[in-house]
């Protein structure tokens, strides 16, 4: 291990740590990848992944004993804030953000030894297999099944919306292992090597024209029994443990903030920045973003002080993504005729892609639990309204 | 500020908030809004809680706390729809008096206010538009003395007051003048606000002004700062109102049955209820940011931006929430006998007072985006 990997980051003062992180991104992060409007593929991010790996910075949240930076919550928030301020794009990070912490908490020693180092080195890239064509918001109704046959599970079924599965070497997935049990109780959490025979990955093109996620088909795929995480039929609890941090992450103001900056640029290009009607609407959105920031800080402060996040964190995801969507709408409206153009339009000497924010806003209110599901959570668990 | 000061400040804030919350539970109920009248007894009670003196500087006998310290207390009082004009008289007039306490008159009035023995109103506005100059009322020399001529509108409270702090032009700048209701040439024409409270149009017909009652002849800046402090305080009171309206509405959704089900189990209502909760949390976030910015800045522009960001959000949220509250109550919500309507009326009043959401959004745009075409 290099000296950098053994550093006790938590011993630094917050200010010192912030400047170390800022310095790191400024020095190492490729300029052309800053403030990326859409999700980057592995091929584009490989160099950055390697840089992170060499410096021991791949996994800020993992404990140091497993090769992470071991940041305590307050330091982690600073890390994320600096990452966002610098416009650092996500590497394919399901392994880092989801699989790693999960195995550290609930995996076996063998699983930790087998998988964690290769996430840190970037040799293995993980994708998620949760949703199915008939199990979306009602995820617990999933039907992809795993039947034990000797020392192996035989998996049959179909997963969908697997983000960047075409780049994944491994998938963590939810499978049904007991058809008799109540919905949530017959589900297990399984780790699968994507090279196993019987797996077919079909990328899906989105409305934005990118191939961001895939359908994955399983046809008699044989998976070693020891690849189950936690106990058999207890996978729902394993998966749920990952959710509240995801809601905070999905409610980050960065999407809305960068969209607002683009709107501001467009307003000047389109000659609308002095227009009173435009200004009123821009000011309203600016306040929406500012108040989103306020909420986000409140929740991150909660994490920082070691408190558990409550169900009210759902308001972040709703307000963040819907503000993002309203900004996308005003971008299209402000662009006038350029709103019909696919790809960049010319404004004088500059170009501006009018529809990218608009397209990106569409899935944001759907993924990570649709905003309707988030509202159900607030109604039921925050406002204590009775269930239907 | 040292850490000791901060923790002392937090302790004082907590003490006052606790006693105010207890007072609000014991003494206040939304129904009191119906009577319209200010209770001098309750005013005295508020003074005994230390609320009048909270923001008075320590060297003039107050606690020297800042607007942020007052937010939780105002929220607690806004929840059951405090009728008494704590923000208009204690915060607005109180801040003006604190800033002019170097005059004998200012100090005397401030002391009376802190005891709960003074109910003042501020007369500053001359047009309905926030951005108007409000400088048509003039303080002019006349023989040996000076006289005040002009008209002010939307004076809160508009009846049963002990005196007026009048903002007047002097030709060169702005003056702040104290007038008692019985002053010669002064006519107070009382009207009624949407929430049933009294507001007044005040006419000044060559009102003679005693030199001792001129609290400042250079009041422009101190007035702006007091106005912005008051604007944030009004937002805090509205936040309480928003929370109160949501509580009452959620109680209704949890108990009212139709089609053999509690109506709160219908998703159509649940999702709208969730949106109201978001408005509440955004309002709290906007006020927290405004308070932090207000206390951190020393320039007038920064303070104006802080006040406008809060008022733009909270005025809008208060109306969204109270209108939805009526809708969710159904027909009973439109009757005068149900208390939820009082929340709407109070929201109408407080959201328009000191500039509505649109006006403050426009000012926010003006101050943050440069001058419009």
């Amino acid at each position: 291990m290099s000296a950098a990997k053994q550093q006790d980051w938590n011993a630094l003062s917050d200010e010192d740590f912030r400047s170390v992180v800022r310095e790191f991104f400024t020095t190492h992060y490729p300029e052309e990848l800053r403030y990326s409007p859409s999700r980057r593929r592995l091929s584009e991010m490989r160099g950055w992944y390697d840089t992170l790996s060499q410096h021991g910075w791949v996994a800020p949240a993992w404990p140091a004993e497993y090769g992470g930076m071991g940041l305590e919550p307050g330091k982690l928030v600073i890390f994320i804030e600096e990452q966002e301020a610098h416009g650092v794009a996500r590497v394919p990070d399901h392994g880092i953000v989801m699989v790693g912490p999960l195995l550290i908490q609930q995996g076996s020693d063998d699983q930790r030894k087998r998988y964690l180092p290769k996430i840190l080195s970037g040799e293995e890239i993980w994708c998620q297999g949760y949703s199915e064509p008939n199990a979306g918001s009602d995820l617990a109704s999933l039907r992809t099944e795993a039947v034990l046959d000797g020392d192996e599970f035989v998996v049959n079924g179909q997963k969908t919306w697997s983000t960047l599965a075409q780049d994944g070497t491994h998938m963590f997935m939810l499978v049904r292992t007991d058809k008799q049990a109540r919905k949530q109780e017959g589900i297990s959490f399984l780790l699968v090597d994507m090279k196993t025979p019987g797996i077919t990955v079909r990328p899906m093109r989105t409305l934005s024209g990118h191939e961001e996620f895939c359908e994955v088909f399983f046809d008699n795929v044989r998976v070693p029994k020891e690849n189950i995480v936690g106990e058999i039929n207890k996978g729902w609890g394993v998966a749920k443990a990952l959710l509240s941090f995801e809601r905070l992450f999905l409610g980050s103001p960065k999407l809305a903030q960068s969209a607002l900056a683009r709107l501001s640029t467009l307003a000047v290009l389109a000659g609308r920045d002095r227009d009173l009607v435009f200004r009123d609407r821009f000011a309203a959105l600016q306040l929406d973003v500012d108040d989103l920031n306020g909420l986000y800080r409140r929740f991150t402060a909660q994490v920082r002080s070691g408190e558990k996040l409550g169900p009210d964190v759902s308001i972040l995801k709703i307000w963040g993504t819907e503000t993002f969507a309203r900004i996308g709408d005003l971008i299209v409206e402000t662009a006038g005729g350029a709103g019909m153009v696919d790809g960049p339009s010319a404004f004088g000497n500059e170009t501006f892609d009018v529809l990218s924010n608009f397209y990106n806003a569409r899935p944001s209110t759907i993924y990570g639990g649709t905003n309707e599901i988030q509202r159900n959570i607030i109604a039921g668990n925050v406002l204590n309204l009775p269930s239907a | 500020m040292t850490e000791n000061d901060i923790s002392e400040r937090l302790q004082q804030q907590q003490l006052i908030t606790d006693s105010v919350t207890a007072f609000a539970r014991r003494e206040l109920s939304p129904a009191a809004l119906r009577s319209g009248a200010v209770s001098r007894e309750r005013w005295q009670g508020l003074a005994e809680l230390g609320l009048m003196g909270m923001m008075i500087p320590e060297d003039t006998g107050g606690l020297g706390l800042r607007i942020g310290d007052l937010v939780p207390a105002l929220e607690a009082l806004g929840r059951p729809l405090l009728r008494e004009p704590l923000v208009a008289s204690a915060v607005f007039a109180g801040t003006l008096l604190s800033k002019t306490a170097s005059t004998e008159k200012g100090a005397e009035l401030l002391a009376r206010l802190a005891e709960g023995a003074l109910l003042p109103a501020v007369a500053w506005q001359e047009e309905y538009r926030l951005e108007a100059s409000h400088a048509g009322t003039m303080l002019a020399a006349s023989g040996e003395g000076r006289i005040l001529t002009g008209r002010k509108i939307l004076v809160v409270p508009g009846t049963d007051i002990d005196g007026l702090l009048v903002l007047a032009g002097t030709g060169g700048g702005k003056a702040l003048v104290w007038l008692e209701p019985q002053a010669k040439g002064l006519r107070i024409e009382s009207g009624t606000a949407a929430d049933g409270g009294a507001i007044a149009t005040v006419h000044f017909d060559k009102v003679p002004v005693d030199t001792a009652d001129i609290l400042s002849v250079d009041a422009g800046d101190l007035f702006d700062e007091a106005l912005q402090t008051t604007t944030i305080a009004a937002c805090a009171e509205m936040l309480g109102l928003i929370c109160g309206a949501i509580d009452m509405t959620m109680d209704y959704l949890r108990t009212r049955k139709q089609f053999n089900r509690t109506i709160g189990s219908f998703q159509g209502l649940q999702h709208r209820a969730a949106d109201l909760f978001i408005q509440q949390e955004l309002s709290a976030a906007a006020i927290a940011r405004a308070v932090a910015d207000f206390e951190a800045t020393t320039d007038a522009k920064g303070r104006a931006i802080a006040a406008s960001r809060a008022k733009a959000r909270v005025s809008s949220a208060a109306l969204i929430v109270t209108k939805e509250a009526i809708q969710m109550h159904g027909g009973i919500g439109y009757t005068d006998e149900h208390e939820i309507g009082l929340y709407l009326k109070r929201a109408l009043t407080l959201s328009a007072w000191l500039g509505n959401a649109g006006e403050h959004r426009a000012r926010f745009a003006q101050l943050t985006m440069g001058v419009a075409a």
Side-chain angles (χ1 to χ4, degrees):
Chain A
M1 276 199 180
S2 72
K5 288 186 185 177
Q6 285 161 347
Q7 169 108 32
D8 180 7
W9 300 107
N10 298 324
L12 296 179
S13 73
D14 283 359
E15 296 81 62
D16 287 351
F17 179 68
R18 191 181 288 283
S19 61
V20 169
V21 174
R22 187 172 297 177
E23 171 74 23
F24 182 84
F25 290 143
T26 315
T27 314
H28 296 289
Y29 190 71
E31 192 63 30
E32 68 276 12
L33 293 176
R34 291 181 70 187
Y35 300 108
S36 180
S38 61
R39 198 74 188 264
R40 295 278 180 174
R41 292 288 299 274
L42 178 62
S43 53
E44 302 166 284
M45 297 305 292
R46 179 53 86 183
W48 176 236
Y49 205 130
D50 289 345
T51 304
L52 289 171
S53 185
Q54 281 150 20
H55 290 84
W57 282 46
V58 167
W62 295 13
E65 57 175 310
Y66 295 109
M69 293 172 79
L71 302 184
E72 45 95 8
K75 292 286 192 296
L76 184 59
V77 167
I78 292 172
F79 186 91
I80 293 169
E81 279 171 0
E82 286 305 313
Q83 188 170 290
E84 289 175 358
H86 194 71
V88 176
R90 286 169 71 181
V91 295
D93 57 6
H94 281 106
I96 304 162
V97 178
M98 303 185 85
V99 179
L102 189 77
L103 291 183
I104 289 166
Q105 271 177 31
Q106 311 192 45
S108 67
D109 277 345
D110 285 347
Q111 285 169 342
R112 283 192 279 265
K113 247 180 258 161
R114 161 66 188 81
Y115 294 112
L116 298 184
K118 296 203 167 169
I119 293 173
L120 292 172
S121 68
E123 281 166 84
E124 292 181 352
I125 301 294
W126 287 80
C127 58
Q128 175 177 295
Y130 279 15
S131 297
E132 297 179 5
N134 288 312
S137 289
D138 183 14
L139 183 61
S141 71
L142 61 91
R143 285 195 308 214
T144 294
E145 65 171 340
V147 177
L148 202 55
D149 178 26
D151 285 341
E152 292 174 327
F153 285 106
V154 180
V155 180
N156 279 289
Q158 180 189 349
K159 292 291 176 183
T160 191
W161 319 137
S162 294
T163 302
L164 300 178
Q166 67 271 51
D167 294 332
T169 60
H170 288 72
M171 174 182 274
F172 60 103
M173 64 186 301
L174 292 174
V175 290
R176 185 157 301 283
T177 38
D178 183 351
K179 285 205 261 192
Q180 271 28 276
R182 263 193 45 209
K183 276 207 312 198
Q184 281 90 345
E185 286 159 15
I187 292 173
S188 298
F189 198 99
L190 201 59
L191 308 175
V192 179
D193 186 332
M194 295 293 278
K195 289 191 300 293
T196 320
I199 298 179
T200 311
V201 176
R202 192 177 79 86
M204 295 165 90
R205 189 176 291 275
T206 67
L207 292 179
S208 72
H210 297 102
E211 292 183 344
E212 276 183 37
F213 42 71
C214 304
E215 291 178 293
V216 183
F217 299 88
F218 296 82
D219 181 17
N220 287 319
V221 176
R222 302 191 75 88
V223 180
K225 199 169 102 178
E226 62 266 25
N227 281 17
I228 206 155
V229 180
E231 286 174 56
I232 191 160
N233 295 332
K234 296 277 195 265
W236 187 252
V238 175
K240 257 180 98 172
L242 291 172
L243 282 180
S244 87
F245 193 73
E246 190 188 19
R247 299 231 155 97
L248 181 64
F249 194 67
L250 293 175
S252 151
K254 75 171 170 183
L255 272 179
Q257 234 155 20
S258 68
L260 195 69
R262 291 192 82 235
L263 172 57
S264 173
T265 304
L266 174 65
V268 175
L269 294 178
R272 294 285 304 279
D273 56 317
R274 308 279 88 178
D275 176 78
L276 278 174
V277 174
F278 173 81
R279 285 157 62 95
D280 186 56
R281 296 175 67 187
F282 185 91
L285 291 169
Q286 175 76 61
L287 291 168
D288 288 348
V289 172
D290 288 351
D291 293 343
L292 170 66
N293 248 312
L295 290 177
Y296 184 68
R297 275 165 200 283
R298 202 184 81 197
F299 286 109
T300 52
Q302 212 177 322
V303 172
R304 192 174 310 171
S305 70
E307 248 179 278
K308 263 183 94 171
L309 289 171
D312 57 336
V313 72
S314 284
I315 65 177
L316 263 191
K317 200 251 166 176
I318 298 173
W319 191 254
T321 53
E322 291 178 10
T323 298
F324 177 53
R326 286 194 297 278
I327 298 169
D329 291 343
L330 190 54
I331 287 177
V332 175
E333 197 179 316
T334 303
M340 70 186 284
V341 178
D342 186 38
S345 294
F347 288 88
N349 296 326
E350 310 277 336
T351 60
F352 191 95
D353 187 335
V354 174
L355 294 175
S356 63
N357 286 110
F358 177 87
Y359 281 130
N360 288 339
R362 307 279 67 81
S364 74
T365 48
I366 299 168
Y367 60 54
T370 64
N371 287 18
E372 286 69 30
I373 292 289
Q374 309 291 349
R375 285 185 168 86
N376 288 351
I377 291 170
I378 293 169
N381 301 340
V382 179
L383 299 173
N384 297 316
L385 294 176
S387 55
Chain B
M1 252 192 175
T2 69
E3 263 177 46
N4 260 344
D5 290 341
I6 292 171
S7 81
E8 196 179 317
R9 190 182 157 188
L10 281 175
Q11 276 174 13
Q12 279 176 333
Q13 187 188 336
Q14 193 56 50
L15 275 175
I16 293 181
T17 308
D18 289 348
S19 56
V20 167
T21 306
F23 175 87
R25 283 218 192 90
R26 196 173 64 237
E27 305 275 336
L28 304 179
S29 86
L33 206 67
R34 290 206 177 90
S35 83
V38 169
S39 151
R40 286 284 183 154
E41 198 184 326
R42 212 152 39 227
W43 189 247
Q44 182 68 46
L46 291 164
E48 281 161 16
L49 291 171
L51 284 171
M52 310 289 170
M54 257 179 109
M55 293 182 62
I56 298 174
E58 279 173 288
D59 52 18
T60 23
L63 292 176
L65 298 180
R66 294 186 285 181
I67 179 61
D69 305 309
L70 210 55
V71 166
L74 288 169
E75 195 187 319
L77 293 166
R79 220 173 239 274
L81 302 181
L82 174 72
R83 151 58 72 212
E84 281 61 44
L86 189 68
V87 175
S89 297
V91 178
F92 202 174
T95 307
L96 289 171
L97 290 172
S98 292
K99 291 180 183 302
T100 52
S102 57
T103 63
E104 200 178 318
K105 192 69 181 184
E108 176 216 318
L109 292 170
L110 194 59
R112 281 170 61 196
L113 179 71
E115 287 165 15
L118 185 76
L119 192 66
V122 181
W124 66 280
Q125 199 166 354
E126 298 181 4
E127 293 180 43
Y128 292 127
R129 284 185 313 123
L130 176 69
E131 290 302 306
S133 72
H134 310 292
T137 297
M138 298 301 291
L139 180 67
S142 166
E144 294 294 287
R146 298 207 232 179
I147 53 166
L148 192 66
T149 307
R151 185 190 73 131
K152 297 285 181 182
I153 63 170
L154 302 179
V155 176
V156 182
T159 187
D160 189 32
I161 48 174
D162 298 319
L164 290 164
L165 286 166
V166 186
L167 187 71
T170 57
K174 285 176 178 175
L176 189 68
V177 171
W178 172 254
L179 283 183
E180 303 205 342
Q182 57 276 17
K184 186 171 148 259
L186 175 69
R187 185 162 63 87
I188 298 177
E189 185 190 337
S190 258
T192 309
D195 65 0
I199 46 174
T201 299
V202 182
H203 304 268
F204 310 95
D205 181 13
K206 298 184 192 134
V207 181
V209 177
D210 194 337
T211 310
D213 290 337
I214 299 172
L215 302 177
S216 169
V217 286
D218 182 22
D221 291 345
L222 72 90
F223 178 79
D224 285 345
E225 191 176 340
L227 177 62
Q228 281 136 15
T229 305
T230 309
T231 303
I232 294 174
C235 290
E237 189 175 352
M238 266 195 286
L239 175 59
L241 176 161
I242 288 169
C243 297
I246 290 178
D247 280 355
M248 186 175 278
T249 305
M250 294 308 117
D251 275 345
Y252 189 75
L253 295 186
R254 282 188 290 259
T255 47
R256 167 76 172 166
K257 284 197 169 156
Q258 289 286 276
F259 307 104
N260 298 319
R261 289 166 63 181
T262 40
I263 61 172
S265 69
F266 293 118
Q267 201 177 41
L269 292 177
Q270 288 192 344
H271 285 190
R272 284 160 56 185
D275 287 334
L276 300 187
F277 177 70
I278 293 176
Q279 289 294 324
Q280 172 189 310
E281 297 302 292
L282 289 170
S283 298
I287 292 170
R289 166 83 186 264
V291 164
D293 289 357
F294 190 88
E295 292 184 354
T297 187
T298 49
D299 76 289
K301 182 179 166 186
R303 282 193 295 265
I305 292 172
S308 282
R309 75 159 60 250
K311 196 68 163 57
R313 166 67 62 201
V314 183
S315 286
S316 154
L319 289 173
I320 290 171
V321 166
T322 50
K323 284 184 294 183
E324 275 284 78
I326 301 292
Q327 178 68 22
M328 288 178 173
H329 276 80
I332 194 73
Y334 188 61
T335 64
D336 192 42
E337 70 193 58
H338 199 286
E339 288 178 2
I340 194 65
L342 300 172
Y343 284 85
L344 173 67
K345 291 185 167 189
R346 188 80 177 125
L348 282 166
T349 307
L350 286 176
S351 65
W353 185 47
L354 309 179
N356 65 23
E359 291 177 289
H360 279 283
R361 210 162 48 231
R363 193 169 75 173
F364 180 82
Q366 179 87 10
L367 293 173
T368 57
M369 299 163 70
V371 181

